[in-house]
Amino acid sequence: MTPEEILLRDAFLLGIELKLFWLVALLYGISFIIGISYLISSNSGVGKTLTWGLRITLIIHTILIIFRTFEGMRPPFQNLYETLSWFAWFANATYLYAQSRWREVHLPGFIVAGIAMAACLYSLLTRSPVIAPVPPALQSHWYEVHVITAFLSYAVFVVSFSVEVCFLKFKINTEESPGMFGYMDENFRRWTHRLVLFGFPLLTFAVFSGAAWANDAWGRYWSWDPKETWSLITWTVYAMYLHSKTISRWKGPTASVLNILGFICMIMTFIGVNWLVKLLDIPSLHTYAV
Amino acid sequence: MLYRLLSSLKTSVYILAFMCLIFLIGTIFPQGENIEDYIKAGGKYVAVVRALDFLDIFISPLFLITTAILLLNLVICLFERFKIFLKIKRTPMDFQSLKNHPNRVTFNNADIEKRLKKTGFKLKAEAQSGAPPRVKIYEKGLQYWWLSWCYHVGIILAIFGFFLTALFAFEKDVLLYPEKPETISLYSEDTRWNEFLRDIGVEVSDKQEKNEYVLTLKEFRTEYYQGLKLDYPKEKLERLAIGIGTKKLKPSKKGFSYMPRMWLTSLDVKKPDGNILDAELWVNRPFRTGSLTLYQMGYEQKVNMTANGQRLEVEARVPFEVKGVKGKFVLGSLKLGTLFKRDGTTEEIKPVTTLYHIPESDPQAREVLGEVGLGEKLDARGVLFEFRDYKEGSYLSYRKDPGVRLVGLACLFVFLGLFVRSLGAWYRIQYAAERKIAYVIVSSRGILADKDRIIRKLNK
């Protein structure tokens, strides 16, 4: 094939992929709107539609990720454009798995749909989808493992956060009859802890594999740059959450606050490090790797 | 009182919260910067920044003391728990409490105990007093409290590793050109430990010849990808237009670019004992021998050229002047080595570079004057440039870090412990039988634990 033919083929495939990705973003958006309607109407039929909307989106999103894998001839975890898509997919998949274990609870789906839509739009509007060769510094198995585990953990924390928020707002004190949005009882709440228990070792491994990658690439496993430090803050806050769950007086609201704080730290690590510059008006903030 | 405070889990949470605050400060204030530069740049809260060492927060007394307190808290907590775990006593509940417990499950057969043993449960305790039937405790799975204890030990080891790195690690660079061996030493007087020794008046030697390595570059190679480009718009609405199909993606008019694929170095490493090793390294693949680790950081290129007959040795990406011409010139990175093309073939690149002009009025601007290959000439700005020859050096860094292995092992230990603790299933069953009816309470830990599955198994 001549370079021109290769480029035309790439353009054609990328065109299909982008249409599919916009469709996925649109479906997350529709699910989010259905979720808002559910929040307003508290009609369980609308709640079920929200869950079905997310299921259909998951199927199309899975096709998109498989398509991208064939298009690039490699797993799609190499840049932020791809990992944001992966993050949204995994948040949705984790949510749907957890949701299948709940009794008539659909509400956290609207938060997950909103976050997944935001991730897809951020990826589509600010990142380049063009499949480019990987630069030397990123050619490491540690890097791949680091990115995959970090985003897996982030996706799990998204679901934990949405469960926590819904529980705090609409909890019921009895298991006898459902509340406005289903059985948001203590059994439902336990999922926040279970999800963090699952996500925390992944986050630990993400920090560890990132350090191992840095050690191989630059010979320094830890440089205290803001991105690294924020990942350590996130890790520490979730460690505090897990410890608070073992202290009887802190199991309730204190743990909830820490879970929500952990989620905020995660967002800071992910995209918010440079917001801090403007927020505090500090001229020489180090913003490497944002 | 202090011991009790330090053995408390609540204290751990408070210390972790305080550490978060320190980490946060470390991301706000520019680390490693001079206080004078900070003031010049308009930095705020100068008195506090200076007093608490915010510009070097991660080696400041505040951080070190907090870490030491955390370490102490961890050690005391682990010691206390160790004593408790060794003497751990499982106390079965009395039969009536079991029978009336809201979570108890009943089975209409008496061979539940056999089934428990068959499914891997082990008898751990049996009530010794009270009237029969007596309650027994069965357990299955790794004891989560010991797992938790083990990975906390891992955290202590990791912190020790960090301290070793902070005190004794150092990092230096070396630039290697062919046929110009360089000697490096795995001793540095600039470690924090040596700084500390100097501060307390101990004499620190500036050289330790025993630990010297001689590095001789054999070959430095660069490889490139053929970067074919698509014109993907930056404008958000145009992106949306592609998404809904009203606009098509087109190949870039700029043609293809060279995208770095790899930088590789082959060299001889003469060890302190006289042995010579054949070494090869590239980005993300350091070379390790003994305590020495070499990393590929980059390269330096020097071009021999003439400008209107005047001989010049110019370093790529470093501006230079030509007599009688206003402004400066600069050469872009020299492209040479192997090109990996998109059609699967490879090609040796004829060395080529781009010449830019930097106007006097705007030192940041770069005006492209053209490309010039090896042996070629370029007439620009009234100057005849000729690219005559070049040489390429490999830029390596070397590091000695006695903490890295301990940190690596400790982190692996922490991760495995955490992973098994979080996911692994652990069950405890309180069991008693009365007149062919078995009463059971199942408790569990770990994400993979499924009480219903255990009850189903016992029911089969």
Side-chain angles (χ1 to χ4, degrees), chain A:
Chain A
M1 276 175 112
T2 64
E4 288 74 26
E5 285 169 339
I6 292 170
L7 274 175
L8 283 174
R9 184 199 61 192
D10 287 358
F12 173 71
L13 292 174
L14 196 59
I16 297 173
E17 184 207 312
L18 285 168
K19 286 185 186 81
L20 212 53
F21 201 0
W22 276 101
L23 175 66
V24 168
L26 180 71
L27 287 173
Y28 279 125
I30 292 171
S31 304
F32 180 64
I33 292 165
I34 295 170
I36 298 283
S37 325
Y38 180 44
L39 193 64
I40 297 164
S41 67
S42 70
N43 179 329
S44 68
V46 182
K48 280 177 190 159
T49 314
L50 164 64
T51 303
W52 271 106
L54 285 172
R55 281 179 193 153
I56 292 163
T57 314
L58 186 73
I59 294 167
I60 297 171
H61 204 160
T62 309
I63 295 168
L64 168 72
I65 286 172
I66 294 168
F67 187 86
R68 176 82 180 180
T69 307
F70 280 108
E71 198 186 340
M73 299 302 285
R74 55 167 172 73
F77 311 123
Q78 303 286 4
N79 52 41
L80 197 56
Y81 168 83
E82 292 171 342
T83 43
L84 280 164
S85 167
W86 163 248
F87 161 73
W89 181 89
F90 197 73
N92 190 8
T94 309
Y95 166 72
L96 288 173
Y97 170 75
Q99 196 277 337
S100 68
R101 303 294 189 98
W102 301 332
R103 292 165 71 194
E104 295 166 40
V105 177
H106 305 279
L107 194 63
F110 100 91
I111 299 176
V112 174
I115 291 170
M117 178 190 68
C120 292
L121 287 179
Y122 185 71
S123 173
L124 279 164
L125 295 175
T126 67
R127 301 282 138 183
S128 171
V130 177
I131 295 171
V134 184
L138 304 187
Q139 291 171 24
S140 161
H141 293 306
W142 280 121
Y143 168 72
E144 285 168 18
V145 173
H146 168 66
V147 172
I148 293 169
T149 48
F151 279 84
L152 277 176
S153 66
Y154 291 172
V156 173
F157 294 146
V158 163
V159 184
S160 176
F161 165 77
S162 51
V163 172
E164 192 79 66
V165 170
C166 290
F167 176 81
L168 287 177
K169 186 74 188 152
F170 301 107
K171 66 182 168 195
I172 55 169
N173 296 320
T174 169
E175 291 176 24
E176 309 293 309
S177 58
M180 252 165 81
F181 295 105
Y183 289 88
M184 288 199 195
D185 51 19
E186 272 303 320
N187 280 329
F188 168 73
R189 202 255 179 108
R190 263 179 224 125
W191 275 88
T192 59
H193 188 213
R194 285 170 75 98
L195 286 162
V196 174
L197 266 180
F198 179 61
F200 190 68
L202 290 174
L203 181 67
T204 307
F205 194 65
V207 175
F208 170 53
S209 53
W213 169 42
N215 190 54
D216 269 2
W218 302 289
R220 201 184 305 149
Y221 59 84
W222 199 263
S223 308
W224 291 111
D225 79 64
K227 192 88 170 169
E228 284 175 353
T229 312
W230 268 102
S231 71
L232 194 60
I233 293 174
T234 308
W235 188 89
T236 311
V237 172
Y238 277 113
M240 284 158 64
Y241 167 81
L242 290 174
H243 281 93
S244 72
K245 279 287 187 186
T246 63
I247 301 168
S248 55
R249 286 179 65 187
W250 288 4
K251 267 181 185 172
T254 311
S256 296
V257 168
L258 287 170
N259 193 11
I260 292 167
L261 192 65
F263 174 79
I264 294 167
C265 291
M266 183 206 91
I267 296 290
M268 278 301 293
T269 311
F270 190 4
I271 46 177
V273 178
N274 55 347
W275 294 348
L276 212 61
V277 187
K278 289 175 189 165
L279 189 73
L280 296 176
D281 192 27
I282 289 166
S284 40
L285 180 80
H286 192 105
T287 51
Y288 166 75
V290 175

Side-chain angles (χ1 to χ4, degrees), chain B residues 15 19 22 61-73 159 163:
Chain B
I15 299 170
M19 290 211 85
I22 296 176
L62 180 71
F63 180 70
L64 293 176
I65 290 168
T66 313
T67 312
I69 294 171
L70 176 71
L71 206 57
L72 196 63
N73 169 250
I159 294 173
F163 272 119

Side-chain angles (χ1 to χ4, degrees), chain B residues 400-420:
Chain B
K400 189 179 172 186
D401 184 349
V404 69
R405 281 194 186 153
L406 182 60
V407 172
L409 277 173
C411 287
L412 198 64
F413 197 54
V414 171
F415 167 70
L416 289 174
L418 258 175
F419 195 76
V420 179

